[in-house]
Amino acid sequence: MNLPQIGDWADFDGLARLQRDRLPAVLAAAERSPFYRKRGVGPLEEQPLTTKQDLRDAYPFGMLAADRADLATYHESSGSTGDATASYYTEADWVDLAECFARKWTGITAADTMLVRTPYALMITGHLAHAAARRHGATVVPADNRSLATPYSRVVRLLHDLGVTLTWSLPTDALLWAAAARIAGYRDFPALRALFVGGEPVGPARKARIARIWGAPVVEEYGATETGSLAGECEHGTMHLWADRAIFEVQDPATGELSPQGRGRLVVTPLFREAMPLLRYAIEDEAEVSYRECPCGWHLPAVRILGRSAFAAGELTQLGLEDLVFGLPDDFGVWFWRARADGDRLRVEIEVADRWRSAAVHTLGAAVRAAHPAVETTVVPVPPGGLVPFRMLTAQAEVMKPRGLFGPGEDWDAALQYY
């Protein structure tokens, strides 16, 4: 499969021509899928949205457009917003997936050691980073984040002792590692040159804080198990949609109309999928898409991922509150927070040391009230360890192998509880 590379088009018009040229093959592939064959495949602009519920109803292989023998991997989503959805990929699909993930402005090279700290299991995220790193010759440290074999104490030891140069994780994980490293006494990670993050919305203030803590740039990635990587950051900090590998549209929440740009629900049509073509897939994330030139010269649309509506309460949004929390001075050491909105009342809890408690409460309270004057805001300080327990940061691996014979005093109740 001949995949486009950045630089194959000179401007946005060239990008649009690339999409138009590829679209007939996309529609033909969709016609091989039982789901789309039953629904009917016509011009893309007349195609109804494909929803997550459609994918759930088609479980497990109703979306399959290839022979089962040609499948390389089978995956399921996390199911965080409902029943899990199935997705599957051929070897050719995996070339596209890995190439898109590897579009990092920092690069991935054979000299790198990359710690992968996202799920392997059924989701695609850990496998995706692993495949991209291996295609570029990097050494992979498969740390996972759904395994009791790699608690935070072990992660920071690996980061330090192996001279890890690149990491892939949730943004929150990077803060948890920093807390665990501080407790364990690790103070220097000179080999680390970039942190790749994704899987949750992250605002500029938190990204900047993580970068300062680790002394390395934070490079954001956006995608989904059903689609793989959809967007990534350039060196100028702009998140770009991979519009040479997928067609992106935005659905206006008020009218339901679809357009190439604006703010609304993101809709995606991958251009290079053998196993599971998707036509106008509504990914359920709110985004803001714009076509503007960027100094990077990629000629790809810019996007701001605003997250899901579940992470908002009226005018309050998770990203908006996050920016206020991480806008506090670094000296306050506020890394962890949570908030509960109840009508016009907001309770924000922050982990903060006694030394900075009063200043942090006053500063954050004033910032939230200035941004949301109609909301009755209470900021509650909790001591370090109050939101993220120290035991979670210092725990050792708890995995045991199957065992039948035990000696005196050993815990034989754990004989069949290997996990």
Side-chain angles (χ1 to χ4, degrees), residues 51-354:
T51 66
K52 284 188 181 289
Q53 189 58 49
D54 289 331
L55 268 58
R56 294 181 186 116
D57 292 343
Y59 170 87
F61 291 111
M63 306 296 295
L64 182 61
D67 193 291
R68 283 281 298 273
D70 293 330
L71 292 186
T73 59
Y74 171 92
H75 302 273
E76 291 185 4
S77 64
S78 64
S80 60
T81 58
D83 293 338
T85 59
S87 57
Y88 11 88
Y89 301 97
T90 65
E91 289 291 351
D93 290 335
W94 267 105
V95 174
D96 178 39
L97 292 170
E99 279 197 7
C100 284
F101 184 91
R103 284 178 162 180
K104 302 288 189 289
W105 66 264
T106 57
I108 302 173
T109 73
D112 283 311
T113 297
M114 183 168 168
L115 183 133
V116 178
R117 180 63 173 173
T118 59
Y120 278 72
L122 280 172
M123 285 178 278
I124 197 176
T125 172
H127 302 277
L128 180 58
H130 192 123
R134 290 302 307 124
R135 280 182 64 83
H136 288 261
T139 301
V140 177
V141 182
D144 201 2
N145 76 341
R146 293 292 188 271
S147 169
L148 295 174
T150 47
Y152 292 105
S153 61
R154 190 172 191 177
V155 169
V156 296
R157 175 178 63 77
L158 292 170
L159 288 170
H160 182 270
D161 293 355
L162 302 185
V164 168
T165 58
L166 301 171
T167 64
W168 166 236
S169 71
L170 294 168
T172 298
D173 246 29
L175 292 169
L176 292 168
W177 302 340
R182 184 167 56 187
I183 292 172
Y186 293 112
R187 305 189 185 283
D188 192 19
F189 297 83
L192 188 64
R193 67 182 190 87
L195 298 100
F196 301 155
V197 301
E200 61 173 323
V202 57
R206 183 158 64 130
K207 279 174 62 177
R209 178 72 64 85
I210 294 169
R212 290 194 296 271
I213 288 170
W214 287 100
V218 177
V219 183
E220 192 177 357
E221 166 89 10
Y222 172 70
T225 290
E226 303 93 333
T227 62
S229 176
L230 294 174
E233 261 188 281
C234 72
E235 61 183 314
H236 297 280
T238 300
M239 181 80 86
H240 291 279
L241 291 169
W242 304 139
D244 62 322
R245 302 293 180 87
I247 294 173
F248 295 94
E249 299 172 279
V250 178
Q251 184 186 41
D252 187 304
T255 66
E257 294 183 359
L258 292 138
S259 59
Q261 58 186 316
R263 179 168 176 165
R265 184 166 61 160
L266 192 64
V267 175
V268 58
T269 301
L271 292 172
F272 297 90
R273 283 293 177 273
E274 289 186 339
M276 186 174 161
L278 291 170
L279 302 180
R280 285 188 153 179
Y281 176 53
I283 209 164
E284 294 187 354
D285 280 334
E286 187 177 354
E288 194 171 70
V289 178
S290 61
Y291 281 74
R292 55 181 173 81
E293 294 295 346
C294 178
C296 70
W298 284 357
H299 305 296
L300 290 167
V303 63
R304 289 180 62 231
I305 303 300
L306 305 172
R308 300 191 175 172
S309 57
F311 301 117
E315 293 298 314
L316 291 166
T317 66
Q318 178 169 312
L319 279 178
L321 286 175
E322 175 191 283
D323 276 345
L324 297 177
V325 171
F326 285 94
L328 291 171
D330 288 7
D331 288 346
F332 290 2
V334 176
W335 294 354
F336 306 115
W337 69 283
R338 66 185 181 186
R340 187 182 298 280
D342 183 3
D344 59 355
R345 297 183 178 182
L346 178 70
R347 176 187 173 93
V348 184
E349 295 183 354
I350 56 174
E351 264 196 18
V352 61
D354 287 346

